[in-house]
Amino acid sequence: DFTEMMRALGYPRLISMENFHTPNFMLVSEVLLWLVKRYEPQTDIPPDVETEQDRVFFIKAVAQFMATKAHIKLNTKKLYQADGYAVKELLKVTSVLYGAMNTKGVERADVSEEDSSKFKFDLGSKIADLKAARQLASEITSKGASLYDLLGKEVELREARTESIARPLEINEAEKMMKVAIDCVLEEVQKTKDMLNNVALDEANLEAKIEKRKLELERSQKRLQTLQSVRPAFMDEYEKMEEQLQKQYSSYLEKFRNLTYMEQLLDDHRRAEQEMFEEAANMLRLMQNRLKEEEQHLLKSGNNDDSDIEIQEDEGSDSEVEDRQIMKQRTGTEALLQG
């Protein structure tokens, strides 16, 4: 009853009771939203049923709407179960809409969801009715014109009709006409009998063909069973080859995994060596720069010491101490350069 009512109300999808053997909340929510829109198109109920909270809010909103607008009390627990018990609750709403449609005798009017306040007349669905109306109008005009002509001839036909009625009936002519009618009926009866005989012959031929096909099917099944029971000669070799192929495939997989692992290790090693080379180059560059700076610093300090030595020689004081300092500085620079 529920599926028939939904089909009569114009639900776009086909519904069967098998859809409700297991909980199907998406279908129940879709049907509820469609029924609410059918009852009042301007209703704004959120269709989100992704989470548990959204589903609970949706069921509560629909139950509250039907209780306030249609005075229909729905069991929210059964609706939330979305199984066969939910169909009984949906049947309460559909029965009301179905009864209203039957009492008023109006057809389903499609209301768009985007502009529900304006009713749109679909001319495409009424083209067939428009053509039929035009054809009926042309037939009415032609019949009216012929009826007008016949009524114009009524004066002449009235006299002929009264004469034919007043004329006495001839039995011989009536008997001839009855014989002709009886012969026509007998011919039609003979034709129907011939057709029935032909149908019987066709039925016999079809039964013979069916029996022949059944025998062929039985022979084919027996042959298939014999072929399935017989083991081919190459089956043993095929199984051996299949086992060897399985072993080769497993070894291939193992080697392929090892190869990919070794390639990954090689890439990591190359990457580490490249990083070490770059780090060594950077360190060498820093050491060269540092040695250059120290050499320049030592050269500058050596020039200053030479000037001090000349002054001290002129003055004749502490020359040996300065010579020792110069020797220490030179040995320090040589050690740095060797390092």
Side-chain angles (χ1 to χ4, degrees), residues 212-234:
K212 186 177 179 181
R213 295 292 183 183
K214 284 182 179 179
L215 293 173
E216 290 179 357
L217 179 61
E218 289 178 358
R219 286 197 296 270
S220 300
Q221 288 179 352
K222 289 180 181 179
R223 186 178 178 185
L224 178 62
Q225 290 177 359
T226 54
L227 291 174
Q228 288 178 352
S229 61
V230 174
R231 184 180 177 83
F234 60 88

PDB file of all heavy atoms in Angstrom, residues 212-234:
ATOM      1  N   LYS A 212      11.772 -31.415 -28.946  1.00  0.00           N
ATOM      2  CA  LYS A 212      13.034 -31.618 -29.654  1.00  0.00           C
ATOM      3  C   LYS A 212      14.156 -30.827 -28.990  1.00  0.00           C
ATOM      4  O   LYS A 212      15.269 -31.327 -28.778  1.00  0.00           O
ATOM      5  CB  LYS A 212      12.860 -31.198 -31.110  1.00  0.00           C
ATOM      6  CG  LYS A 212      14.056 -31.501 -31.977  1.00  0.00           C
ATOM      7  CD  LYS A 212      13.764 -31.115 -33.425  1.00  0.00           C
ATOM      8  CE  LYS A 212      14.990 -31.398 -34.302  1.00  0.00           C
ATOM      9  NZ  LYS A 212      14.734 -31.012 -35.722  1.00  0.00           N
ATOM     10  N   ARG A 213      13.850 -29.581 -28.627  1.00  0.00           N
ATOM     11  CA  ARG A 213      14.852 -28.753 -27.959  1.00  0.00           C
ATOM     12  C   ARG A 213      15.229 -29.324 -26.592  1.00  0.00           C
ATOM     13  O   ARG A 213      16.393 -29.260 -26.169  1.00  0.00           O
ATOM     14  CB  ARG A 213      14.316 -27.325 -27.801  1.00  0.00           C
ATOM     15  CG  ARG A 213      14.079 -26.598 -29.110  1.00  0.00           C
ATOM     16  CD  ARG A 213      15.374 -26.316 -29.818  1.00  0.00           C
ATOM     17  NE  ARG A 213      15.149 -25.545 -31.037  1.00  0.00           N
ATOM     18  CZ  ARG A 213      16.108 -25.211 -31.895  1.00  0.00           C
ATOM     19  NH1 ARG A 213      17.350 -25.601 -31.659  1.00  0.00           N
ATOM     20  NH2 ARG A 213      15.828 -24.526 -32.993  1.00  0.00           N
ATOM     21  N   LYS A 214      14.246 -29.871 -25.886  1.00  0.00           N
ATOM     22  CA  LYS A 214      14.533 -30.472 -24.583  1.00  0.00           C
ATOM     23  C   LYS A 214      15.469 -31.664 -24.728  1.00  0.00           C
ATOM     24  O   LYS A 214      16.418 -31.831 -23.938  1.00  0.00           O
ATOM     25  CB  LYS A 214      13.235 -30.904 -23.912  1.00  0.00           C
ATOM     26  CG  LYS A 214      12.416 -29.760 -23.327  1.00  0.00           C
ATOM     27  CD  LYS A 214      11.169 -30.280 -22.643  1.00  0.00           C
ATOM     28  CE  LYS A 214      10.364 -29.142 -22.031  1.00  0.00           C
ATOM     29  NZ  LYS A 214       9.121 -29.638 -21.365  1.00  0.00           N
ATOM     30  N   LEU A 215      15.210 -32.495 -25.740  1.00  0.00           N
ATOM     31  CA  LEU A 215      16.093 -33.644 -25.968  1.00  0.00           C
ATOM     32  C   LEU A 215      17.510 -33.191 -26.304  1.00  0.00           C
ATOM     33  O   LEU A 215      18.505 -33.744 -25.812  1.00  0.00           O
ATOM     34  CB  LEU A 215      15.525 -34.521 -27.093  1.00  0.00           C
ATOM     35  CG  LEU A 215      14.200 -35.252 -26.790  1.00  0.00           C
ATOM     36  CD1 LEU A 215      13.683 -35.940 -28.040  1.00  0.00           C
ATOM     37  CD2 LEU A 215      14.380 -36.237 -25.654  1.00  0.00           C
ATOM     38  N   GLU A 216      17.608 -32.167 -27.151  1.00  0.00           N
ATOM     39  CA  GLU A 216      18.936 -31.641 -27.488  1.00  0.00           C
ATOM     40  C   GLU A 216      19.640 -31.087 -26.256  1.00  0.00           C
ATOM     41  O   GLU A 216      20.846 -31.258 -26.070  1.00  0.00           O
ATOM     42  CB  GLU A 216      18.797 -30.568 -28.558  1.00  0.00           C
ATOM     43  CG  GLU A 216      18.384 -31.096 -29.923  1.00  0.00           C
ATOM     44  CD  GLU A 216      18.230 -29.987 -30.948  1.00  0.00           C
ATOM     45  OE1 GLU A 216      18.399 -28.805 -30.554  1.00  0.00           O
ATOM     46  OE2 GLU A 216      17.950 -30.294 -32.119  1.00  0.00           O
ATOM     47  N   LEU A 217      18.869 -30.401 -25.400  1.00  0.00           N
ATOM     48  CA  LEU A 217      19.450 -29.860 -24.172  1.00  0.00           C
ATOM     49  C   LEU A 217      19.948 -30.975 -23.252  1.00  0.00           C
ATOM     50  O   LEU A 217      21.038 -30.871 -22.661  1.00  0.00           O
ATOM     51  CB  LEU A 217      18.402 -29.004 -23.461  1.00  0.00           C
ATOM     52  CG  LEU A 217      18.829 -28.368 -22.138  1.00  0.00           C
ATOM     53  CD1 LEU A 217      20.005 -27.418 -22.351  1.00  0.00           C
ATOM     54  CD2 LEU A 217      17.658 -27.623 -21.506  1.00  0.00           C
ATOM     55  N   GLU A 218      19.165 -32.040 -23.123  1.00  0.00           N
ATOM     56  CA  GLU A 218      19.591 -33.159 -22.284  1.00  0.00           C
ATOM     57  C   GLU A 218      20.865 -33.797 -22.820  1.00  0.00           C
ATOM     58  O   GLU A 218      21.793 -34.117 -22.066  1.00  0.00           O
ATOM     59  CB  GLU A 218      18.469 -34.195 -22.198  1.00  0.00           C
ATOM     60  CG  GLU A 218      17.280 -33.728 -21.365  1.00  0.00           C
ATOM     61  CD  GLU A 218      16.166 -34.760 -21.347  1.00  0.00           C
ATOM     62  OE1 GLU A 218      16.345 -35.801 -22.021  1.00  0.00           O
ATOM     63  OE2 GLU A 218      15.142 -34.517 -20.675  1.00  0.00           O
ATOM     64  N   ARG A 219      20.931 -33.976 -24.150  1.00  0.00           N
ATOM     65  CA  ARG A 219      22.139 -34.546 -24.742  1.00  0.00           C
ATOM     66  C   ARG A 219      23.348 -33.633 -24.516  1.00  0.00           C
ATOM     67  O   ARG A 219      24.452 -34.102 -24.201  1.00  0.00           O
ATOM     68  CB  ARG A 219      21.921 -34.778 -26.241  1.00  0.00           C
ATOM     69  CG  ARG A 219      21.033 -35.964 -26.555  1.00  0.00           C
ATOM     70  CD  ARG A 219      21.186 -36.389 -28.006  1.00  0.00           C
ATOM     71  NE  ARG A 219      20.738 -35.348 -28.919  1.00  0.00           N
ATOM     72  CZ  ARG A 219      19.520 -35.216 -29.388  1.00  0.00           C
ATOM     73  NH1 ARG A 219      18.573 -36.094 -29.015  1.00  0.00           N
ATOM     74  NH2 ARG A 219      19.197 -34.251 -30.227  1.00  0.00           N
ATOM     75  N   SER A 220      23.130 -32.345 -24.662  1.00  0.00           N
ATOM     76  CA  SER A 220      24.232 -31.400 -24.455  1.00  0.00           C
ATOM     77  C   SER A 220      24.701 -31.409 -23.002  1.00  0.00           C
ATOM     78  O   SER A 220      25.912 -31.347 -22.720  1.00  0.00           O
ATOM     79  CB  SER A 220      23.788 -29.985 -24.849  1.00  0.00           C
ATOM     80  OG  SER A 220      23.411 -29.933 -26.206  1.00  0.00           O
ATOM     81  N   GLN A 221      23.753 -31.499 -22.059  1.00  0.00           N
ATOM     82  CA  GLN A 221      24.135 -31.565 -20.644  1.00  0.00           C
ATOM     83  C   GLN A 221      24.915 -32.840 -20.336  1.00  0.00           C
ATOM     84  O   GLN A 221      25.906 -32.810 -19.589  1.00  0.00           O
ATOM     85  CB  GLN A 221      22.883 -31.469 -19.773  1.00  0.00           C
ATOM     86  CG  GLN A 221      22.265 -30.076 -19.742  1.00  0.00           C
ATOM     87  CD  GLN A 221      21.018 -30.018 -18.891  1.00  0.00           C
ATOM     88  OE1 GLN A 221      20.532 -31.062 -18.434  1.00  0.00           O
ATOM     89  NE2 GLN A 221      20.493 -28.808 -18.687  1.00  0.00           N
ATOM     90  N   LYS A 222      24.482 -33.965 -20.892  1.00  0.00           N
ATOM     91  CA  LYS A 222      25.209 -35.215 -20.671  1.00  0.00           C
ATOM     92  C   LYS A 222      26.614 -35.130 -21.249  1.00  0.00           C
ATOM     93  O   LYS A 222      27.596 -35.574 -20.630  1.00  0.00           O
ATOM     94  CB  LYS A 222      24.447 -36.370 -21.303  1.00  0.00           C
ATOM     95  CG  LYS A 222      23.166 -36.734 -20.563  1.00  0.00           C
ATOM     96  CD  LYS A 222      22.453 -37.885 -21.248  1.00  0.00           C
ATOM     97  CE  LYS A 222      21.159 -38.239 -20.513  1.00  0.00           C
ATOM     98  NZ  LYS A 222      20.435 -39.346 -21.194  1.00  0.00           N
ATOM     99  N   ARG A 223      26.725 -34.543 -22.431  1.00  0.00           N
ATOM    100  CA  ARG A 223      28.051 -34.401 -23.041  1.00  0.00           C
ATOM    101  C   ARG A 223      28.941 -33.494 -22.207  1.00  0.00           C
ATOM    102  O   ARG A 223      30.139 -33.746 -22.032  1.00  0.00           O
ATOM    103  CB  ARG A 223      27.883 -33.835 -24.448  1.00  0.00           C
ATOM    104  CG  ARG A 223      29.178 -33.786 -25.234  1.00  0.00           C
ATOM    105  CD  ARG A 223      28.925 -33.269 -26.625  1.00  0.00           C
ATOM    106  NE  ARG A 223      30.169 -33.167 -27.374  1.00  0.00           N
ATOM    107  CZ  ARG A 223      30.259 -32.648 -28.607  1.00  0.00           C
ATOM    108  NH1 ARG A 223      29.155 -32.207 -29.213  1.00  0.00           N
ATOM    109  NH2 ARG A 223      31.426 -32.589 -29.211  1.00  0.00           N
ATOM    110  N   LEU A 224      28.339 -32.418 -21.676  1.00  0.00           N
ATOM    111  CA  LEU A 224      29.108 -31.510 -20.824  1.00  0.00           C
ATOM    112  C   LEU A 224      29.589 -32.217 -19.565  1.00  0.00           C
ATOM    113  O   LEU A 224      30.746 -32.035 -19.125  1.00  0.00           O
ATOM    114  CB  LEU A 224      28.243 -30.301 -20.458  1.00  0.00           C
ATOM    115  CG  LEU A 224      28.873 -29.257 -19.532  1.00  0.00           C
ATOM    116  CD1 LEU A 224      30.105 -28.639 -20.182  1.00  0.00           C
ATOM    117  CD2 LEU A 224      27.859 -28.184 -19.189  1.00  0.00           C
ATOM    118  N   GLN A 225      28.734 -33.021 -18.960  1.00  0.00           N
ATOM    119  CA  GLN A 225      29.140 -33.762 -17.766  1.00  0.00           C
ATOM    120  C   GLN A 225      30.274 -34.738 -18.065  1.00  0.00           C
ATOM    121  O   GLN A 225      31.221 -34.871 -17.276  1.00  0.00           O
ATOM    122  CB  GLN A 225      27.941 -34.507 -17.192  1.00  0.00           C
ATOM    123  CG  GLN A 225      26.895 -33.591 -16.571  1.00  0.00           C
ATOM    124  CD  GLN A 225      25.674 -34.337 -16.077  1.00  0.00           C
ATOM    125  OE1 GLN A 225      25.611 -35.574 -16.217  1.00  0.00           O
ATOM    126  NE2 GLN A 225      24.715 -33.634 -15.513  1.00  0.00           N
ATOM    127  N   THR A 226      30.188 -35.421 -19.213  1.00  0.00           N
ATOM    128  CA  THR A 226      31.270 -36.338 -19.576  1.00  0.00           C
ATOM    129  C   THR A 226      32.576 -35.592 -19.815  1.00  0.00           C
ATOM    130  O   THR A 226      33.660 -36.032 -19.408  1.00  0.00           O
ATOM    131  CB  THR A 226      30.885 -37.122 -20.834  1.00  0.00           C
ATOM    132  OG1 THR A 226      30.515 -36.189 -21.874  1.00  0.00           O
ATOM    133  CG2 THR A 226      29.728 -38.055 -20.560  1.00  0.00           C
ATOM    134  N   LEU A 227      32.491 -34.424 -20.472  1.00  0.00           N
ATOM    135  CA  LEU A 227      33.701 -33.638 -20.713  1.00  0.00           C
ATOM    136  C   LEU A 227      34.292 -33.111 -19.417  1.00  0.00           C
ATOM    137  O   LEU A 227      35.520 -33.028 -19.265  1.00  0.00           O
ATOM    138  CB  LEU A 227      33.386 -32.481 -21.663  1.00  0.00           C
ATOM    139  CG  LEU A 227      33.072 -32.866 -23.117  1.00  0.00           C
ATOM    140  CD1 LEU A 227      32.639 -31.635 -23.900  1.00  0.00           C
ATOM    141  CD2 LEU A 227      34.293 -33.492 -23.775  1.00  0.00           C
ATOM    142  N   GLN A 228      33.431 -32.739 -18.468  1.00  0.00           N
ATOM    143  CA  GLN A 228      33.929 -32.262 -17.189  1.00  0.00           C
ATOM    144  C   GLN A 228      34.548 -33.383 -16.360  1.00  0.00           C
ATOM    145  O   GLN A 228      35.497 -33.160 -15.600  1.00  0.00           O
ATOM    146  CB  GLN A 228      32.791 -31.606 -16.402  1.00  0.00           C
ATOM    147  CG  GLN A 228      32.367 -30.249 -16.964  1.00  0.00           C
ATOM    148  CD  GLN A 228      31.209 -29.653 -16.210  1.00  0.00           C
ATOM    149  OE1 GLN A 228      30.611 -30.312 -15.347  1.00  0.00           O
ATOM    150  NE2 GLN A 228      30.868 -28.406 -16.541  1.00  0.00           N
ATOM    151  N   SER A 229      34.002 -34.588 -16.481  1.00  0.00           N
ATOM    152  CA  SER A 229      34.533 -35.709 -15.707  1.00  0.00           C
ATOM    153  C   SER A 229      35.854 -36.218 -16.276  1.00  0.00           C
ATOM    154  O   SER A 229      36.719 -36.706 -15.543  1.00  0.00           O
ATOM    155  CB  SER A 229      33.514 -36.850 -15.665  1.00  0.00           C
ATOM    156  OG  SER A 229      33.241 -37.316 -16.982  1.00  0.00           O
ATOM    157  N   VAL A 230      36.048 -36.120 -17.589  1.00  0.00           N
ATOM    158  CA  VAL A 230      37.285 -36.605 -18.217  1.00  0.00           C
ATOM    159  C   VAL A 230      38.391 -35.590 -17.980  1.00  0.00           C
ATOM    160  O   VAL A 230      38.217 -34.391 -18.222  1.00  0.00           O
ATOM    161  CB  VAL A 230      37.065 -36.832 -19.731  1.00  0.00           C
ATOM    162  CG1 VAL A 230      38.393 -37.195 -20.395  1.00  0.00           C
ATOM    163  CG2 VAL A 230      36.053 -37.941 -19.937  1.00  0.00           C
ATOM    164  N   ARG A 231      39.544 -36.093 -17.513  1.00  0.00           N
ATOM    165  CA  ARG A 231      40.694 -35.215 -17.253  1.00  0.00           C
ATOM    166  C   ARG A 231      41.567 -35.161 -18.503  1.00  0.00           C
ATOM    167  O   ARG A 231      41.976 -36.200 -19.027  1.00  0.00           O
ATOM    168  CB  ARG A 231      41.485 -35.741 -16.069  1.00  0.00           C
ATOM    169  CG  ARG A 231      42.648 -34.854 -15.659  1.00  0.00           C
ATOM    170  CD  ARG A 231      43.362 -35.476 -14.478  1.00  0.00           C
ATOM    171  NE  ARG A 231      44.525 -34.697 -14.088  1.00  0.00           N
ATOM    172  CZ  ARG A 231      44.497 -33.631 -13.301  1.00  0.00           C
ATOM    173  NH1 ARG A 231      43.341 -33.210 -12.809  1.00  0.00           N
ATOM    174  NH2 ARG A 231      45.601 -32.980 -12.984  1.00  0.00           N
ATOM    175  N   PRO A 232      41.901 -33.973 -18.992  1.00  0.00           N
ATOM    176  CA  PRO A 232      42.732 -33.884 -20.199  1.00  0.00           C
ATOM    177  C   PRO A 232      44.128 -34.431 -19.958  1.00  0.00           C
ATOM    178  O   PRO A 232      44.628 -34.497 -18.830  1.00  0.00           O
ATOM    179  CB  PRO A 232      42.766 -32.381 -20.495  1.00  0.00           C
ATOM    180  CG  PRO A 232      41.603 -31.804 -19.762  1.00  0.00           C
ATOM    181  CD  PRO A 232      41.418 -32.665 -18.554  1.00  0.00           C
ATOM    182  N   ALA A 233      44.800 -34.822 -21.059  1.00  0.00           N
ATOM    183  CA  ALA A 233      46.137 -35.402 -20.953  1.00  0.00           C
ATOM    184  C   ALA A 233      47.180 -34.373 -20.558  1.00  0.00           C
ATOM    185  O   ALA A 233      48.178 -34.702 -19.906  1.00  0.00           O
ATOM    186  CB  ALA A 233      46.516 -36.052 -22.284  1.00  0.00           C
ATOM    187  N   PHE A 234      46.976 -33.159 -20.957  1.00  0.00           N
ATOM    188  CA  PHE A 234      47.970 -32.116 -20.684  1.00  0.00           C
ATOM    189  C   PHE A 234      47.759 -31.457 -19.324  1.00  0.00           C
ATOM    190  O   PHE A 234      48.464 -30.510 -18.998  1.00  0.00           O
ATOM    191  CB  PHE A 234      47.893 -31.035 -21.768  1.00  0.00           C
ATOM    192  CG  PHE A 234      46.566 -30.354 -21.866  1.00  0.00           C
ATOM    193  CD1 PHE A 234      46.277 -29.240 -21.094  1.00  0.00           C
ATOM    194  CD2 PHE A 234      45.583 -30.833 -22.720  1.00  0.00           C
ATOM    195  CE1 PHE A 234      45.060 -28.616 -21.178  1.00  0.00           C
ATOM    196  CE2 PHE A 234      44.353 -30.206 -22.803  1.00  0.00           C
ATOM    197  CZ  PHE A 234      44.097 -29.096 -22.031  1.00  0.00           C
TER     198      PHE A 234
END
